[in-house]
């Protein structure tokens, strides 16, 4: 059974997925960040692979990607850093990134390498469902990886149900029509999440975009299985102090 | 004069896919293996709406009427097809210049923005965003927004704002807000990223007018159709002048490739016509400062479509270089990638210096100061051999006023 499935069988509420950019803040800090997240209460780690042109991301995550690239991060290096990560990290880890670097690495080679080191799933926001169904989905399945689609408040009911069918692990509910790191109107978010709940989807739902603190996390969790924090954690890492201290302070506040 | 038998306007019909091998993408927006719509879900509804409606809106009689009237009375179409006598003599071929530089606002870009603003109105959109490199598309967008009284926001790389100051001033005078793109190379690629992010954040009231044959399906096809008026006119104008609708060669510069797509469109399936695209080699194809995508690129995904893309081995997009802001783009439209990969098109390149030399030469030989982008197309004449019988059409995509600063520095 996939680690994600196992997790949601044990825990169906207040699941916290935290995003961090691989190779950020330091070239070799990837594993240190993951360990800090695991020991301070994250249930899932979403590890971002930096890209020069991250269309769905706001300035904060974009900037962390730029620093990571300046740090020399590549997919090749990432898999080297992740070679033995399963000796220390026992929670689900998914890779998030954009299609182009993955295609250049080689899509099948990428899935094989991810599965070999112990990655559980993928989020590729610019892989459309048509190409997923006709070309890439089978490869992802062949290596036993979960694939998580995004839905937004603009996504139609029919399409939400279809993307839910294609997804495994969980469904990523983008809280508002925005890039990462923008604030939300809580009433709108709640109505949208209630609507999703009413569709009887097969996957657990995690809410992302605009989740930044205890208040927004609690609100998201009231109507979904959990939430994803990205920008706010990257900002926390920007502050001085060790990775462990920054992570601890940040997650303690969110989970209080 | 306009030939009354041939209407100006968009390519009118959904063609039989079997008959038109190169002109139309398939139902999913693919030209061969290039194209598609690689977009995050946040853009899906808007892009899907466009995919569903663009052809029926463009083929609507009321749309056609308004589009054609504006092209005629506002843009000044048809633009002349001019036999450049001194150039013809020099190169030993009949060289015709398609004078898109005489369009209102000084370049072909307005053919597309007129079409898209009418489309945006029919989609009920109240706010227009655009990206721009040289500023020609930004000016053309600001112009049609002023014409229709619609809010206009233009994203432009900070570096391009510096080197294309006159166009920035024109956009502002036309009432547009010019927003600098501060990320990455601070040029066209980054302005496009910022425009796409704006669209993600404003999904309901905003239409994104992309200026080239790039972006997710249906943009490459939609923009090519709006620009196809160029080759539609070339056909009947050439017939009037030579008795044949078909030249032997059509030449155009390519950044993203909108003027080339328009100049090639009605010749794509006329296999006797050689289609010659000229890319910007910058300081030299292998200098590390170039924008020659077909020479340097590999298949990749940028701005929502799969095409050829200049990138590192790790799949990071390379910051291109060209003296011409309009060609300073690391990709190329999927139609052009398909023309390149299939061998239907011939792809040449010209360096910054080649283009400058050509610009001064055309100014002195024909009395026309071309845009730096267009100068690349002229420069390619030096790489071609003629035997006196060829009929060559060059798309003179824009005029050089905006580049006077650069030209003055080289005098």
């Amino acid at each position: 059974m996939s680690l994600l499935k196992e997790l949601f069988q044990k825990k169906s509420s207040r699941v916290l997925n935290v995003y961090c950019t691989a190779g950020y803040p330091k070239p070799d800090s990837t594993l240190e960040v993951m360990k800090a997240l695991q020991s301070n209460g994250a249930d899932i780690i979403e590890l971002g692979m930096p890209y020069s042109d991250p269309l769905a991301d706001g300035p904060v995550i974009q900037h962390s990607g730029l620093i990571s690239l300046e740090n020399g991060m590549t997919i090749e290096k990432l898999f080297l850093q992740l070679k033995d990560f399963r000796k220390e990290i026992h929670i689900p880890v998914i890779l998030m990134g954009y299609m182009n670097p993955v295609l250049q690495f080689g899509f099948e080679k990428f899935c094989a390498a991810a599965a070999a080191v112990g990655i559980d799933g993928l989020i590729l926001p610019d892989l459309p469902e048509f190409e997923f169904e006709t070309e890439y989905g089978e490869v992802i399945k062949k290596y036993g990886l979960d694939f998580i689609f995004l839905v937004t408040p603009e996504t139609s009911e029919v399409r939400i149900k279809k993307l839910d069918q294609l997804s495994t692990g969980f469904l990523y509910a983008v809280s508002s029509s925005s890039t990462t790191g923008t604030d939300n109107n809580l009433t709108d978010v709640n109505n949208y999440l209630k609507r999703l709940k009413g569709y009887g989807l097969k996957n657990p739902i995690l809410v992302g975009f605009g989740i930044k603190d205890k208040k927004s996390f609690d609100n998201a969790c009231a109507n979904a299985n959990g939430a994803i924090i990205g920008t706010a954690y990257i900002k926390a890492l920007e502050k001085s102090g060790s990775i462990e201290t920054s992570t601890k302070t940040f997650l303690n506040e969110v989970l209080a | 004069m306009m030939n009354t038998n041939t209407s100006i306007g968009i390519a009118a019909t959904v063609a039989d896919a079997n008959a038109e091998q190169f002109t139309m993408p398939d139902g999913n927006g693919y030209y061969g293996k290039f194209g598609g719509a690689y977009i995050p879900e946040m853009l899906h509804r808007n892009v899907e709406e466009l995919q569903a409606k663009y052809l029926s809106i463009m083929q609507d009689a009321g749309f056609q009427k308004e589009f054609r009237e504006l092209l005629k009375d506002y843009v000044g179409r048809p633009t002349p097809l001019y036999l450049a006598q001194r150039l013809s003599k020099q190169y030993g071929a009949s060289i015709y210049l398609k004078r898109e530089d005489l369009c209102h606002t000084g370049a072909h870009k307005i053919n597309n923005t007129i079409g898209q603003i009418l489309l945006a109105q029919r989609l009920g959109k109240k706010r227009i965003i655009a990206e721009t490199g040289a500023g020609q598309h930004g000016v053309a967008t600001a112009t049609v927004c002023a014409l229709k009284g619609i809010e206009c926001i233009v994203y432009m790389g900070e570096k391009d704002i510096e080197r294309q100051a006159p166009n920035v001033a024109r956009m502002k005078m036309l009432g547009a807000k010019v927003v600098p793109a501060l990320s990455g190379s601070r040029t066209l690629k980054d302005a496009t990223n910022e425009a796409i992010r704006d669209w993600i954040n404003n999904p309901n009231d905003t239409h994104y007018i992309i200026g080239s044959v790039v972006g997710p399906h249906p943009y490459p096809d939609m923009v090519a159709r709006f620009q196809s008026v160029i080759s539609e006119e070339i056909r009947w104008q050439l017939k009037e002048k030579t008795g044949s609708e078909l030249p032997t060669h059509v030449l155009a510069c390519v950044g993203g490739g909108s003027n080339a797509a328009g100049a090639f469109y009605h010749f794509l399936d006329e296999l006797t016509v050689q289609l010659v695209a000229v890319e910007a080699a910058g300081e030299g194809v292998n200098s590390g400062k170039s924008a020659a995508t077909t020479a340097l690129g590999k298949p990749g995904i940028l701005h929502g479509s799969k095409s050829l893309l200049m990138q590192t081995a790790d799949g990071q997009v390379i910051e291109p270089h060209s003296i011409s802001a309009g060609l300073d783009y690391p990709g190329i439209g999927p139609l052009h990638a398909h023309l390149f990969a299939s061998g239907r098109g011939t792809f040449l390149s010209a360096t910054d210096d080649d283009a400058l030399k050509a610009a001064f030469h055309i100014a002195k030989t024909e009395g026309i100061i071309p845009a730096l982008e267009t100068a690349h197309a002229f420069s390619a004449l030096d790489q071609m051999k003629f035997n006196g019988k060829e009929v060559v059409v060059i798309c003179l995509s824009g005029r050089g006023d905006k580049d006077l600063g650069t030209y003055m520095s080289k005098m």
Side-chain angles (χ1 to χ4, degrees):
Chain A
M1 193 188 329
S2 91
L3 281 188
L4 281 169
K5 201 164 185 185
E6 233 171 82
L7 166 71
F8 285 104
Q9 278 185 1
K10 278 187 270 176
K11 184 172 181 180
S12 62
S13 68
R14 297 185 64 79
V15 170
L16 175 62
N17 176 356
V18 183
Y19 170 93
C20 54
T21 303
Y24 177 86
K26 288 174 287 179
D28 298 316
S29 62
T30 309
L31 207 58
E32 192 183 343
V33 171
M34 291 168 80
K35 280 193 267 186
L37 287 171
Q38 175 176 261
S39 62
N40 288 294
D43 298 301
I44 303 171
I45 295 168
E46 183 182 326
L47 197 52
M49 302 175 284
Y51 180 44
S52 54
D53 295 81
L55 283 184
D57 287 305
V60 173
I61 289 183
Q62 228 186 112
H63 181 69
S64 71
L66 190 71
I67 290 181
S68 164
L69 289 174
E70 282 168 2
N71 283 341
M73 183 49 80
T74 64
I75 291 179
E76 195 107 41
K77 278 188 191 162
L78 175 61
F79 283 130
L80 285 177
Q81 291 181 354
L82 293 179
K83 200 164 157 262
D84 294 316
F85 87 98
R86 277 299 172 207
K87 288 182 182 160
E88 297 172 277
I89 306 290
H90 311 294
I91 60 178
V93 177
I94 51 188
L95 294 180
M96 181 273 173
Y98 292 83
M99 276 295 279
N100 197 56
V102 174
L103 285 184
Q104 297 316 309
F105 187 82
F107 196 85
E108 177 147 10
K109 186 179 152 200
F110 175 82
C111 292
V117 299
I119 291 295
D120 302 288
L122 305 177
I123 297 178
L124 299 169
D126 59 348
L127 171 57
E129 101 278 7
F130 170 75
E131 281 74 9
F132 178 87
E133 285 189 279
T134 52
E135 192 172 353
Y136 300 106
E138 270 180 44
V139 183
I140 294 165
K141 201 181 266 176
K142 180 175 161 189
Y143 291 95
L145 296 165
D146 286 320
F147 190 84
I148 293 114
F149 275 98
L150 276 61
V151 300
T152 82
E154 308 291 333
T155 312
S156 70
E157 179 178 348
V158 172
R159 185 169 166 79
I160 287 171
K161 287 178 172 166
K162 180 172 186 191
L163 295 176
D164 176 55
Q165 279 306 316
L166 293 176
S167 297
T168 55
F170 63 89
L171 191 64
Y172 192 134
V174 176
S175 62
S176 64
S177 303
S178 67
T179 43
T180 54
T182 32
D183 286 331
N184 295 325
N185 174 325
L186 286 187
T187 317
D188 290 350
V189 177
N190 289 339
N191 289 337
Y192 160 61
L193 293 177
K194 279 177 193 152
R195 187 157 64 82
L196 285 182
K197 229 177 177 178
Y199 293 156
L201 305 176
K202 75 167 171 117
N203 284 296
I205 293 168
L206 296 188
V207 187
F209 288 41
I211 314 299
K212 57 180 178 181
D213 49 18
K214 177 174 167 53
K215 191 181 162 201
S216 49
F217 180 67
D218 287 350
N219 183 70
C221 290
N223 290 296
N225 303 90
I228 304 161
I229 296 184
T231 299
Y233 178 58
I234 299 288
K235 276 187 189 162
L237 285 180
E238 280 171 3
K239 289 174 192 153
S240 59
S242 71
I243 287 169
E244 169 62 23
T245 313
S246 307
T247 306
K248 189 179 188 119
T249 311
F250 180 73
L251 288 189
N252 280 351
E253 193 276 329
V254 170
L255 295 169
Chain B
M1 285 302 294
M2 200 181 126
N3 180 333
T4 46
N5 293 326
T6 316
S7 61
I8 60 169
I10 57 170
T13 54
V14 183
D16 175 357
N18 296 325
E20 301 215 318
Q21 194 185 350
F22 289 100
T23 321
M24 299 253 316
D26 70 16
N28 293 299
Y30 280 91
Y31 300 87
K33 54 185 180 159
F34 301 109
Y38 292 80
I39 48 164
E41 183 63 23
M42 293 77 94
L43 288 175
H44 184 269
R45 200 191 61 167
N46 272 321
V47 170
E48 186 185 43
E49 183 185 27
L50 272 180
Q51 288 172 355
K53 293 181 180 168
Y54 82 108
L55 284 177
S56 63
I57 290 176
M58 287 169 79
Q59 285 157 8
D60 171 72
F63 179 94
Q64 283 275 357
K65 183 168 180 288
E66 197 178 352
F67 181 61
R68 289 170 192 211
E69 277 174 8
L70 283 171
L71 286 186
K72 180 168 177 281
D73 298 331
Y74 188 73
V75 175
R77 303 206 73 92
T79 58
L81 185 71
Y82 163 68
L83 176 62
Q85 306 219 0
R86 296 183 67 195
L87 267 190
S88 296
K89 197 170 167 201
Q90 181 193 343
Y91 286 102
S94 300
I95 298 176
Y96 288 88
L97 308 183
K98 181 58 174 163
R99 298 292 309 273
E100 294 300 298
D101 60 319
L102 296 178
C103 287
H104 178 42
T105 71
H108 70 290
K109 291 290 186 188
I110 197 164
N111 301 326
N112 169 48
T113 60
I114 291 269
Q116 286 204 49
I117 198 80
L118 297 181
L119 186 107
Q121 281 188 312
R122 280 157 179 80
L123 293 170
K125 304 293 183 181
K126 309 281 182 226
R127 181 174 175 272
I128 295 294
I129 54 171
E131 86 295 337
T132 197
Q136 291 303 103
H137 174 58
V139 167
T141 305
T143 298
V144 298
C145 287
L147 178 71
K148 293 291 180 183
I150 296 177
E151 183 187 0
C152 180
I153 296 107
V154 179
Y155 289 90
M156 187 168 187
E158 196 186 31
K159 191 170 147 194
D160 291 336
I161 288 180
E162 285 162 21
R163 60 180 168 173
Q164 303 288 342
N167 272 345
V168 176
R170 289 163 82 196
M171 285 185 268
K172 287 182 177 165
M173 189 163 173
L174 291 160
K177 186 177 163 200
V178 180
V179 181
L182 304 171
S183 60
S185 55
R186 297 171 293 123
T187 61
L188 181 54
K189 156 179 99 78
D190 312 284
T192 308
N193 288 342
E194 292 309 323
I196 292 175
R197 290 191 182 108
D198 180 306
W199 208 20
I200 287 174
N201 284 285
N202 295 281
N204 294 318
D205 62 345
T206 300
H207 175 68
Y208 177 20
I209 301 190
I210 295 184
S212 193
V213 286
V214 302
H217 174 59
Y219 278 102
D221 185 45
M222 180 167 73
V223 176
R225 282 166 184 265
F226 285 135
Q227 291 294 0
S228 72
V229 63
I230 299 172
S231 48
E232 199 170 307
E233 288 174 5
I234 293 173
R235 285 188 78 126
W236 63 256
Q237 289 173 320
L238 207 57
K239 177 131 204 221
E240 281 183 356
K241 289 176 196 298
T242 68
S244 166
E245 291 185 12
L246 303 182
T248 56
H249 299 75
V250 182
L251 245 80
C253 63
V254 175
S258 71
N259 93 83
F264 293 169
Y265 197 89
H266 289 285
F267 302 112
L268 287 169
D269 298 308
E270 303 280 6
L271 300 181
T272 62
V273 181
Q274 281 198 46
L275 308 174
V276 183
V278 187
E279 296 182 299
E283 296 180 9
V285 170
N286 297 310
S287 66
K289 288 188 149 191
S290 177
T293 303
T294 60
L296 300 168
K298 289 180 294 179
I301 293 167
L302 180 67
H303 299 146
S305 62
K306 190 186 265 186
S307 188
L308 292 168
L309 177 62
M310 290 169 53
Q311 54 190 313
T312 65
D314 187 46
Q316 307 299 335
V317 181
I318 288 176
E319 294 171 5
H321 166 82
S322 168
I323 193 171
S324 125
L327 304 182
D328 204 348
Y329 187 69
I332 189 170
L335 164 65
H336 295 299
H338 181 48
L339 293 179
F340 175 75
S342 65
R344 175 69 186 95
T346 303
F347 284 71
L348 304 176
S349 66
T351 64
D352 292 350
D353 288 345
D354 294 338
L356 280 167
K357 201 177 123 208
F360 280 93
H361 182 65
I362 298 309
K364 293 202 174 104
T365 311
E366 294 293 341
I368 297 168
I369 298 174
L372 263 170
E373 290 75 15
T374 315
H376 287 74
F378 280 109
S379 170
L381 287 170
D382 289 333
Q383 301 171 43
M384 300 170 73
K385 290 221 169 14
F386 302 110
N387 64 19
K389 292 185 185 132
E390 291 85 354
V391 177
V392 179
V393 176
I394 300 179
C395 187
L396 212 174
S397 55
R399 65 179 181 230
D401 307 37
K402 69 182 176 59
D403 298 310
L404 266 187
T406 307
Y407 291 153
M408 281 160 73
S409 72
K410 304 291 173 185
M411 281 174 196

